[in-house]
Amino acid sequence: MAILGIHNTLALTFGIIGNIISFLVYLAPIPTFIRIYKRKSTENFQSLPYLVALFSSMLWLYYAYLKTNAILLITINSIGCVIETIYISMYIIYAHKDARSLTIKLLMTINIGIFTLIPLISQFALPHSLHVKIVGWICVSVSVSVFAAPLSIVARVIKTKSVEFMPFWLSFFLTLSAIMWFAYGAFLKDICIAIPNVLGFTLGLLQMLLYAIYRKGEARKNEVIEEREKTLHPTRNIVVEIPSRTHEVILISDNDHVNEQGMIGAKGVKEKENSVEINECPV
């Protein structure tokens, strides 16, 4: 009994920490949606990952309802459903006609149609003793697909050798979240919670490893770009007055300077009197 009490206490602790970290992960796309709101456009943005994430949260809510005594699953997935619904609503508002139509169709098919079928089938076509197990494994399969989604980003990082599309802190918090929920499932002896988070933890470590490998290359590339920009100095026109009362417009760079005698001084450039031919005109 003492061991069981310790396990429940540890599960509660990891579950609370998992709620906090998962909440931060749900908030991570806010900057993206702020840009969408400002631009009033969803160009180069996909709604499918958010539809799948909403579907996953809905399934875990149903699983928690069947399992009972899973309040920590209910809290975080309720929050997830609300936040993902807000994201999808913003996308529908600002997307162009075709993207909006496709998103609404996917929402009706996945989040309403398929989700409605799962409780109906589990309640009327399966023995009561298998409800939790079957729904749990459905949750596992959907969660694995959610965790596998970043594989496209991983492939892009390897191909481009750039971490521009893989924010470090998002990968870090996803990995940390997977660790917390794996521990929560392990202490509750719930394999359906533990298994998908093993994959989440593995993919998170892979993303951070790739970030460490290609981050220096990205920094070096930025330094090279900055150096090139520094060497490209804009030119400007300057009117130099010559004692013979003639004027000449000379093209010089910002690094050059004009002395009091109207001569140009710069590295590797001769003085004005030696480098410019002047055609004197009679007064």
Side-chain angles (χ1 to χ4, degrees):
M1 292 297 292
I3 294 176
L4 182 60
I6 292 173
H7 282 190
N8 287 338
T9 301
L10 290 173
L12 178 64
T13 302
F14 282 109
I16 292 173
I17 298 173
N19 268 253
I20 296 171
I21 297 173
S22 296
F23 178 68
L24 295 175
V25 172
Y26 280 127
L27 296 180
I30 284 180
T32 298
F33 284 91
I34 289 176
R35 289 195 297 271
I36 289 175
Y37 173 75
K38 289 181 177 179
R39 298 175 181 177
K40 304 294 188 292
S41 172
T42 59
E43 187 179 359
N44 298 325
F45 181 80
Q46 295 182 346
S47 62
L48 183 59
Y50 297 92
L51 292 169
V52 176
L54 175 60
F55 182 58
S56 177
S57 295
M58 294 166 68
L59 281 176
W60 282 111
L61 270 178
Y62 181 57
Y63 176 76
Y65 166 76
L66 293 176
K67 187 178 176 62
T68 68
N69 298 323
I71 186 64
L72 293 176
L73 283 179
I74 292 175
T75 54
I76 189 57
N77 286 290
S78 298
I79 293 172
C81 285
V82 172
I83 294 176
E84 297 296 342
T85 300
I86 293 173
Y87 291 158
I88 294 168
S89 299
M90 286 188 64
Y91 181 89
I92 292 174
I93 291 171
Y94 295 113
H96 59 79
K97 184 177 179 180
D98 293 338
R100 182 187 301 115
S101 176
L102 177 60
T103 300
I104 293 174
K105 289 178 181 178
L106 290 174
L107 179 67
M108 298 297 293
T109 302
I110 298 173
N111 301 90
I112 296 178
I114 296 178
F115 178 76
T116 303
L117 283 175
I118 291 173
L120 289 176
I121 293 173
S122 66
Q123 290 291 334
F124 298 106
L126 296 174
H128 187 271
S129 59
L130 295 178
H131 285 180
V132 176
K133 184 179 293 186
I134 297 298
V135 173
W137 282 106
I138 293 174
C139 290
V140 169
S141 61
V142 174
S143 295
V144 166
S145 67
V146 172
F147 280 123
L151 286 175
S152 59
I153 298 177
V154 169
R156 190 170 186 176
V157 169
I158 295 174
K159 182 178 180 180
T160 62
K161 294 181 173 55
S162 171
V163 294
E164 178 183 359
F165 303 100
M166 190 177 68
F168 172 80
W169 289 111
L170 179 58
S171 300
F172 175 77
F173 280 115
L174 283 172
T175 305
L176 201 58
S177 175
I179 294 173
M180 296 300 111
W181 287 112
F182 169 77
Y184 176 78
F187 284 117
L188 285 183
K189 298 182 180 179
D190 190 326
I191 193 172
C192 292
I193 298 175
I195 284 180
N197 287 290
V198 173
L199 178 61
F201 170 72
T202 304
L203 290 176
L205 286 181
L206 175 61
Q207 290 181 55
M208 288 192 292
L209 178 62
L210 288 175
Y211 188 91
I213 292 173
Y214 294 113
R215 179 178 60 86
K216 292 182 179 179
E218 183 76 11
R220 178 57 185 162
K221 183 175 71 175
N222 293 335
E223 289 177 2
V224 171
I225 293 174
E226 290 178 1
E227 288 296 327
R228 288 178 180 176
E229 290 177 350
K230 289 180 180 179
T231 58
L232 297 176
H233 297 288
T235 59
R236 56 190 173 90
N237 293 334
I238 181 170
V239 177
V240 181
E241 186 173 353
I242 310 298
S244 60
R245 296 186 182 179
T246 63
H247 294 78
E248 184 173 353
V249 177
I250 304 169
L251 201 62
I252 66 172
S253 80
D254 287 342
N255 284 339
D256 298 333
H257 63 275
V258 180
N259 59 24
E260 294 179 353
Q261 285 73 35
M263 298 181 177
I264 303 171
K267 293 180 179 179
V269 180
K270 295 182 179 180
E271 291 298 319
K272 169 70 177 154
E273 59 183 3
N274 296 326
S275 59
V276 179
E277 294 182 1
I278 303 174
N279 295 321
E280 294 187 0
C281 298
V283 179

